[in-house]
Amino acid sequence: MPVSHPTVYEPLTEQGAISLAVRLGLFPEGTPLACREIGDGNLNLVFRVVDQQTKKGIIVKQALPYAKVVGESWPLTLKRAVIESNALRTFASYVPQYVPKVYYSDESLAITVMEDLSHLQIARKGLIEGKTYPLLSQHIGEFIAKTSFYTSDFGMNQQEKKQLAQSFVNPELCKITEDLVFTDPFFNHETNNFEDELRDDVEALWNDDKLHLEAAKLKRKFLTEGDALIHGDLHTGSIFASDEETKIIDPEFAFYGPFGFDIGQFFANLLLNALSRPEQQQEPLFAHIDKTWDVFSTVFSDLWRTHNVEPYAKTEGLLEDVLHHTFIDAIGFAGCEVIRRTIGLAHVADLDGIEDKEERLQAKRYALRLGRSLILQRETLSSTKEIRSLFAQTVLAATN
Amino acid sequence: MPVSHPTVYEPLTEQGAISLAVRLGLFPEGTPLACREIGDGNLNLVFRVVDQQTKKGIIVKQALPYAKVVGESWPLTLKRAVIESNALRTFASYVPQYVPKVYYSDESLAITVMEDLSHLQIARKGLIEGKTYPLLSQHIGEFIAKTSFYTSDFGMNQQEKKQLAQSFVNPELCKITEDLVFTDPFFNHETNNFEDELRDDVEALWNDDKLHLEAAKLKRKFLTEGDALIHGDLHTGSIFASDEETKIIDPEFAFYGPFGFDIGQFFANLLLNALSRPEQQQEPLFAHIDKTWDVFSTVFSDLWRTHNVEPYAKTEGLLEDVLHHTFIDAIGFAGCEVIRRTIGLAHVADLDGIEDKEERLQAKRYALRLGRSLILQRETLSSTKEIRSLFAQTVLAATN
């Protein structure tokens, strides 16, 4: 529908978000609407416009031309709003049940108008509260399997794949990951952020040549391997969940990257939550990791056998080779994410929220050791089940 | 300079090529010009416009909207002319000595006007005549090292690299390689072309599960790994040479691909020529292979140490890891190229030109076995020197 609007970017106000919703006809005429900015991210304004009678709402998300976390000093292209809305639409064509509906997007204003998911909770928040979300890993595994398979050279026309990849070239947001996940935490860099008490542990990482080499190999994969359209930032803060539903949001980091990356980031954030819990409450998180891989590999394998467009599809050993390397990469990427969420620029509330200082520091020391082990031992793990013993060994080694 | 021309594509005539040269002011006014279409490729018209007095000329190359080799039935986008002229210009910014100068390009007419290199000879032709081109491998090694390094995440700003890669997305020409190099020769496909006498050997390849798996892994690298801007078709027919000079032409297949691909194709075409020679004349070709790798790895390593933009540049073992995998991949890609040039759609004159039928068939049988060995044993070779023994074993095994 044609909608008149300013063609030059300006940040929306709450009133502006209401006006947009009205112009778009998303509410019946005369509906009493209220609006609040509810964003807690670093890169965007998020408005919830709600019908005051029915309490039904919509979300208006607008990209900011800078990262809030570092003030206006870190300028960011607004193109990421286009990436986000296009990624949501692409994902919806394969797994509409796992992403919010997009009602409208405007490139010049960097706006995406979409389904309101406020009946759900951000998974990180729920996990910190001790929730387990029984279907979370089933849904995430299926989401990653289907979106990865269908946007890869195995699941879609290989020439169209190249054009889709071209439309998702995303230099600025990739740079954030390249710097903050793969580089800065491994060097003495000004973006790092950690308690003084951790300095010895952190400096040990900075001086760890073996770790540097493996982190560099993983970074190179992120820089060069274009397997599939990935979410690119699939931590538990990018997931809305309830006991029944799971919705993946915020794919502004989406680009063509390695199969294992989303899986690894999800694993890492489950492990970071596990590190914040008493031992006897950790098992549901390990079970989620097992289930994510199990569902991912099962669904991916089924699609491989039934919907594969690659002439080598039936070649014995190829699927196993793809899955094997995806697994190894995922474990390595998980290790990088665990480390960067502990000492890098962007932390997680799972660890930072541990109230007792000694416990918090201990959990972070475990995190650093666990991250290191995941990176260095990624090729020796034969299944996600072994993450439990790696986790236990890390904690044990640290306490002895 | 502004030049008037038709804005709708039509194939040039010899007179049209002369008119264009005149309009572009490439010759002084009143120069008596002659023109001849000299193309022997499958995809383009190539006109040489020459000053009849000085004998100095220029080349006008125009992409055809179809592949000549299969008549008009294989339509091809004209965008490849843009890829070609942009690739030549990009390469020229690093190694101007190894590419023809581009004077002018026109996207809508799919035309590139460039330096005339007719004082040189196509390397394949010279090699078939028994020439050795003493500087060929020195130049090709340096060309690949510099263009690969400077267009990679190690040699250029990593965000600009993504944008450069975006501008070289090249689905149609990549598909030719994906089909004709990596797929069709390994299956019973209608594009294949081989003597009836080879059928047993060819069918053995088609039924070779181990070979299929390794060819599939190499194809996947070509489909997904974007290390650097590569030429994409660097066989000896894409090289003009003399004893002093080397010029690389025809980069219409250029795209962001794996480091090892150009090296592998060049190796393969040297090996195909070696297969066409008596044993005592093969050594210069093996020496070229050694020298190509030696120069490539030396120049690449020097640039790595002096011009590396990646924070992990100084990480011990990373350069060695990159070179190691580039080497393995190059050997594997060489194997695919040797096989496809023997039984696939596009052959090489080195083998097809062997006059004695039995000798020709024998050389082709050796080629198939050599290609298979290169693919299957690529991870066991520790240096190019071992290609000699692999070559000898292949021939030996075949004759016993």
Side-chain angles (χ1 to χ4, degrees), chain B residues 172-184:
Chain B
E172 275 200 349
L173 283 280
C174 282
K175 180 165 172 57
I176 294 177
T177 306
E178 288 152 22
D179 289 350
L180 298 187
V181 178
F182 289 109
T183 313
D184 298 356

Side-chain angles (χ1 to χ4, degrees), chain A residues 79 153-154 158-163 165-172 174-175 178 182-184 186-187 209 211-217 219-220 223-227 255 259 310-312 315-319 321-322 325-326, chain B residues 79 153-154 158-163 165-172 174-175 178 182-184 186-187 209 211-217 219-220 223-227 255 259 310-312 315-319 321-322 325-326:
Chain A
K79 280 184 201 157
D153 288 301
F154 302 110
Q158 296 178 344
Q159 277 42 66
E160 287 168 21
K161 179 231 174 185
K162 292 175 180 70
Q163 284 162 339
Q166 189 176 31
S167 76
F168 280 102
V169 169
N170 197 355
E172 274 201 348
C174 282
K175 180 166 171 57
E178 287 152 24
F182 289 109
T183 313
D184 298 356
F186 298 92
F187 294 88
D209 291 343
L211 184 66
H212 270 206
L213 177 58
E214 298 309 315
K217 289 182 193 171
K219 180 180 182 183
R220 189 174 166 223
L223 285 164
T224 61
E225 295 186 5
D227 286 326
F255 80 111
F259 279 139
E310 164 58 50
Y312 283 102
T315 300
E316 202 170 326
L318 185 60
L319 169 62
D321 184 70
V322 170
H325 285 101
T326 300
Chain B
K79 280 185 201 156
D153 287 303
F154 303 110
Q158 296 178 345
Q159 277 44 65
E160 289 169 19
K161 178 231 174 185
K162 292 175 180 70
Q163 284 161 340
Q166 190 176 30
S167 76
F168 280 101
V169 169
N170 197 356
E172 275 200 349
C174 282
K175 180 165 172 57
E178 288 152 22
F182 289 109
T183 313
D184 298 356
F186 298 92
F187 293 88
D209 291 344
L211 184 67
H212 270 206
L213 178 57
E214 298 309 315
K217 289 182 193 170
K219 180 180 182 182
R220 189 175 165 221
L223 284 164
T224 61
E225 296 188 4
D227 285 325
F255 80 111
F259 280 139
E310 164 58 50
Y312 283 102
T315 299
E316 202 169 328
L318 185 59
L319 170 62
D321 184 70
V322 170
H325 285 101
T326 300

Side-chain angles (χ1 to χ4, degrees), chain B residues 109-143:
Chain B
L109 288 176
I111 278 175
T112 307
V113 181
M114 63 189 127
E115 187 180 1
D116 178 24
L117 301 171
S118 47
H119 65 292
L120 305 176
Q121 186 181 26
I122 287 290
R124 186 185 306 285
K125 204 156 172 287
L127 291 170
I128 290 173
E129 292 167 4
K131 293 195 181 140
T132 54
Y133 300 119
L135 298 179
L136 181 66
S137 43
Q138 165 80 36
H139 293 167
I140 296 294
E142 189 186 344
F143 170 81

Side-chain angles (χ1 to χ4, degrees), chain A residues 14 34 44 67 78 104 107 114 123 149-150 187 240 257 260 356 384:
Chain A
E14 292 180 347
N44 308 287
L78 298 169
Y104 173 78
E107 187 168 343
M114 63 189 127
F149 178 82
Y150 280 119
F187 294 88
F240 269 113
D356 181 87
T384 53

Side-chain angles (χ1 to χ4, degrees), chain B residues 8-231:
Chain B
V8 176
Y9 179 85
E10 55 182 41
L12 270 185
T13 59
E14 292 180 346
Q15 193 50 53
I18 290 180
S19 305
L20 177 63
V22 170
R23 282 205 306 277
L24 291 170
L26 293 172
F27 294 95
E29 220 167 299
T31 306
L33 296 173
C35 177
R36 209 152 56 86
E37 206 280 313
I38 57 169
D40 63 350
N42 307 318
L43 315 169
N44 307 286
L45 295 172
V46 181
F47 299 93
R48 182 165 180 251
V49 180
V50 64
D51 179 334
Q52 293 185 283
Q53 284 165 343
T54 66
K55 306 297 174 202
K56 286 195 176 163
I58 58 142
I59 295 295
V60 179
K61 179 171 175 180
Q62 183 179 39
L64 288 167
Y66 50 85
K68 267 201 284 190
V69 67
V70 283
E72 300 201 15
S73 63
W74 192 335
L76 275 179
T77 176
L78 297 169
K79 280 185 201 156
R80 67 189 196 278
V82 180
I83 296 271
E84 173 171 356
S85 57
N86 287 345
L88 286 175
R89 288 186 174 109
T90 304
F91 294 152
S93 67
Y94 308 118
V95 281
Q97 67 273 37
Y98 298 136
V99 285
K101 273 192 210 69
V102 173
Y103 302 125
Y104 172 78
S105 60
D106 180 305
E107 186 168 343
S108 57
L109 288 176
I111 278 175
T112 307
V113 181
M114 63 189 127
E115 187 180 1
D116 178 24
L117 301 171
S118 47
H119 65 292
L120 305 176
Q121 186 181 26
I122 287 290
R124 186 185 306 285
K125 204 156 172 287
L127 291 170
I128 290 173
E129 292 167 4
K131 293 195 181 140
T132 54
Y133 300 119
L135 298 179
L136 181 66
S137 43
Q138 165 80 36
H139 293 167
I140 296 294
E142 189 186 344
F143 170 81
I144 300 177
K146 288 192 173 168
T147 56
S148 292
F149 179 82
Y150 280 119
T151 61
S152 80
D153 287 303
F154 303 110
M156 77 183 288
N157 175 291
Q158 296 178 345
Q159 277 44 65
E160 289 169 19
K161 178 231 174 185
K162 292 175 180 70
Q163 284 161 340
L164 191 62
Q166 190 176 30
S167 76
F168 280 101
V169 169
N170 197 356
E172 275 200 349
L173 283 280
C174 282
K175 180 165 172 57
I176 294 177
T177 306
E178 288 152 22
D179 289 350
L180 298 187
V181 178
F182 289 109
T183 313
D184 298 356
F186 298 92
F187 293 88
N188 184 1
H189 196 281
E190 57 179 10
T191 61
N192 290 326
N193 174 22
F194 54 86
E195 291 88 339
D196 282 344
E197 292 87 342
L198 295 176
R199 178 157 289 273
D200 284 355
D201 303 79
V202 173
E203 287 188 350
L205 287 188
W206 293 345
N207 293 313
D208 189 332
D209 291 344
K210 254 168 67 187
L211 184 67
H212 270 206
L213 178 57
E214 298 309 315
K217 289 182 193 170
L218 289 161
K219 180 180 182 182
R220 189 175 165 221
K221 284 181 166 282
F222 187 85
L223 284 164
T224 61
E225 296 188 4
D227 285 325
L229 181 66
I230 67 174
H231 180 284

